[in-house]
Amino acid sequence: MAEKQGFVGSIVETFKTVFWALVIAGIFRTVFFQPFWIPSGSMKDTLLIGDFLFVNKMVYGYSYASCPSVRIPQVGVDIGAEDFCGWFEGYDDRLFGSDPQAGDIVVFRHPVTGRDFIKRLIGVPGDRVQMQDGQLYINDEAVVVEDAGTFTEIMEPQGPLRNQPQCANGAVGLGAVCEKERQIETLPNGVSHAILNIGNRAADNTGVFTVPADQFFFMGDNRDNSTDSRFPQAARGVGFVDRKDIVGRADRVIFSSAGRSMLAFWTWRSDRFFKALD
C-alpha cells in the first residue's frame, strides 16, 4: 500500500510541477516577453523568414492583447487573447502604457483575424500618410531615401510555408539569384531603416491616410510584398490599428533558421544570433 501511495504521490507531484511551470511560463509571456517567429517576407531585409525573436511587452504597457494566444491547428486548438482576457478588450487605454514611436518594429493583433502581425510603425495619430510613385510622404513631405545597393537572395522555397521570393530582376528560375532594389529611408523623427522595392505595384500610389486618434499606421519594409495599413480591412488588409491591439516591440533577433523548422540547427544563420534591429 505504501508503494502504491508513493507512486500516486509521485504522479501528483509531477502534475503539480507541470501546472506551476505552465503558470510561471504564462505569467512571463503575458507580462514580460512573447516569443515570435517570422513566417513571411514582408519585413525583409530587416527580418528574414525564420527569424526568432522575443517581443518586449513592458515597453508599451498592457492591454487585452498582452494575454497569450494558443494556436495549434494540427489538433484544432485556436485560443486567442480575447478568450483569455476578453473582459479587458473594451478598455481603451493601456495599463502603464506609452505610445510606440514612428520607426518602431511592432507586433500587434490583426484588427479582424486576431492573428499576430509584425510591421514597422509609419504614422502616429494625426499624421497624413501617402504613397506616390513608390515614395512615402508623411504630412505632405517626401521622406528622405538613399540608394543602398541591391538585396539578393536565392530563388527557392523559404520556411515551412515554402513561399518563394518575388524578384525585381524578372521571373528567375529555382537556384538563381533574386534581386531587389534596397534603400535607406529616414522618417521625420530621424529613425532610419532599410526598405526593398520590387517594381511598380498598385500600393505604390495611394490616397492620403489621416491617422485617427488612438490608432496607428503600419507598413512592411519589403514594400511591394506586404499586407499592411495601405490595404483596408474589408480587402483582408490591416487598415488602422487600435492602440489596444498593440502587443509589444521587437528589438533583437535571438536566432534564425533558413530551413523548414527552427529546430533544424544546421540551417541556423550564425550571423543573426542576437542581432539588434534597426
Side-chain angles (χ1 to χ4, degrees):
M1 178 67 69
E3 181 179 348
K4 183 176 181 180
Q5 288 178 342
F7 174 75
V8 172
S10 66
I11 294 295
V12 170
E13 286 302 314
T14 299
F15 274 107
K16 287 170 62 177
T17 300
V18 171
F19 170 78
W20 286 113
L22 291 174
V23 169
I24 293 171
I27 292 173
F28 182 87
R29 180 170 175 175
T30 300
V31 178
F32 299 109
F33 298 96
Q34 174 177 313
F36 192 88
W37 180 77
I38 304 299
S40 74
S42 68
M43 283 293 293
K44 291 178 181 177
D45 64 340
T46 306
L47 293 169
L48 303 180
I49 294 175
D51 281 351
F52 180 84
L53 47 87
F54 283 100
V55 178
N56 185 342
K57 290 188 170 184
M58 298 176 286
V59 66
Y60 302 138
Y62 305 97
S63 72
Y64 89 96
S66 304
C67 290
S69 299
V70 180
R71 291 189 168 92
I72 311 175
Q74 295 85 346
V75 295
V77 176
D78 189 354
I79 304 174
E82 64 279 0
D83 296 310
F84 286 111
C85 299
W87 56 272
F88 196 21
E89 187 172 2
Y91 185 65
D92 291 331
D93 207 348
R94 301 179 67 87
L95 294 177
F96 314 113
S98 63
D99 279 351
Q101 303 298 308
D104 287 357
I105 300 172
V106 179
V107 171
F108 57 88
R109 306 285 188 201
H110 189 286
V112 177
T113 68
R115 294 292 195 264
D116 287 341
F117 268 45
I118 186 165
K119 305 289 181 185
R120 191 177 297 276
L121 178 58
I122 297 298
V124 299
D127 279 345
R128 292 163 49 85
V129 181
Q130 185 178 24
M131 293 291 291
Q132 295 183 26
D133 297 324
Q135 168 76 57
L136 174 64
Y137 285 74
I138 297 180
N139 297 325
D140 307 315
E141 295 288 337
V143 170
V144 175
V145 293
E146 300 176 38
D147 290 335
T150 303
F151 172 75
T152 62
E153 56 187 335
I154 300 300
M155 170 57 75
E156 60 184 357
Q158 299 178 347
L161 300 180
R162 313 310 287 158
N163 293 330
Q164 294 184 10
Q166 299 181 40
C167 312
N169 55 325
V172 303
L174 289 176
V177 175
C178 175
E179 299 179 351
K180 298 177 182 65
E181 176 188 349
R182 186 175 186 270
Q183 296 176 312
I184 299 299
E185 180 177 81
T186 301
L187 299 176
N189 64 354
V191 174
S192 297
H193 56 272
I195 59 172
L196 301 182
N197 178 53
I198 298 171
N200 295 323
R201 302 294 172 91
D204 284 339
N205 289 280
T206 71
V208 176
F209 300 95
T210 301
V211 185
D214 299 321
Q215 294 185 317
F216 299 89
F217 189 96
F218 291 93
M219 294 175 66
D221 290 348
N222 191 2
R223 290 287 162 80
D224 294 330
N225 189 26
S226 174
T227 300
D228 49 42
S229 292
R230 291 172 292 176
F231 302 91
Q233 296 169 15
R236 304 179 66 85
V238 172
F240 297 120
V241 176
D242 288 339
R243 176 181 282 109
K244 66 180 180 181
D245 287 329
I246 290 173
V247 175
R249 186 179 69 200
D251 295 319
R252 188 176 297 273
V253 174
I254 304 303
F255 68 86
S256 181
S257 171
R260 300 187 66 169
S261 170
M262 64 181 179
L263 300 178
F265 62 88
W266 57 91
T267 67
W268 288 4
R269 304 176 177 107
S270 60
D271 62 328
R272 296 187 69 78
F273 287 173
F274 303 105
K275 179 180 175 61
L277 297 175
D278 297 323

